[in-house]
Amino acid sequence: QEEVGTDVIQTVRGKGLLNAMIITPNGDKNAMALCMEMKEMGLIAKPTHGDIIRFAPPLVISDQELSDGIQIIRDATYKLLTK
């Protein structure tokens, strides 16, 4: 929340590599829109219920790939919010 300067991200929940991010939809800035931004940047995630994004990376993901994925989530969130 602090990094992107917004309260759109309510919480992140999950265990291990299986996680979900719950967001506060605002008009066309919803889970589907954020997933589409992430897809354009190379990360595929599953939107559910309009406000939840599921992440299920492969169990053989490297530390670098994980870091890259987290950066994509940050960048896509920022891009969506500054449109």
Side-chain angles (χ1 to χ4, degrees):
Q1 290 175 329
E2 294 157 6
E3 285 188 41
V4 295
T6 183
D7 59 357
V8 72
I9 299 172
Q10 292 178 18
T11 189
V12 176
R13 65 180 187 204
K15 291 192 178 214
L17 292 176
L18 301 177
N19 288 281
M21 183 168 67
I22 302 170
I23 66 168
T24 303
N26 183 5
D28 62 346
K29 297 177 180 181
N30 55 30
M32 177 61 83
L34 184 51
C35 284
M36 295 308 289
E37 287 292 343
M38 289 188 287
K39 179 183 172 208
E40 292 298 316
M41 296 179 176
L43 180 78
I44 298 174
K46 171 81 170 120
T48 61
H49 306 292
D51 65 342
I52 300 172
I53 300 173
R54 283 191 241 171
F55 299 98
L59 296 177
V60 295
I61 192 169
S62 70
D63 288 343
Q64 184 60 53
E65 290 168 328
L66 187 58
S67 292
D68 292 347
I70 291 168
Q71 189 61 51
I72 289 171
I73 294 167
R74 286 183 181 134
D75 293 346
T77 302
Y78 182 78
K79 183 176 178 184
L80 181 68
L81 295 175
T82 57
K83 279 188 171 180

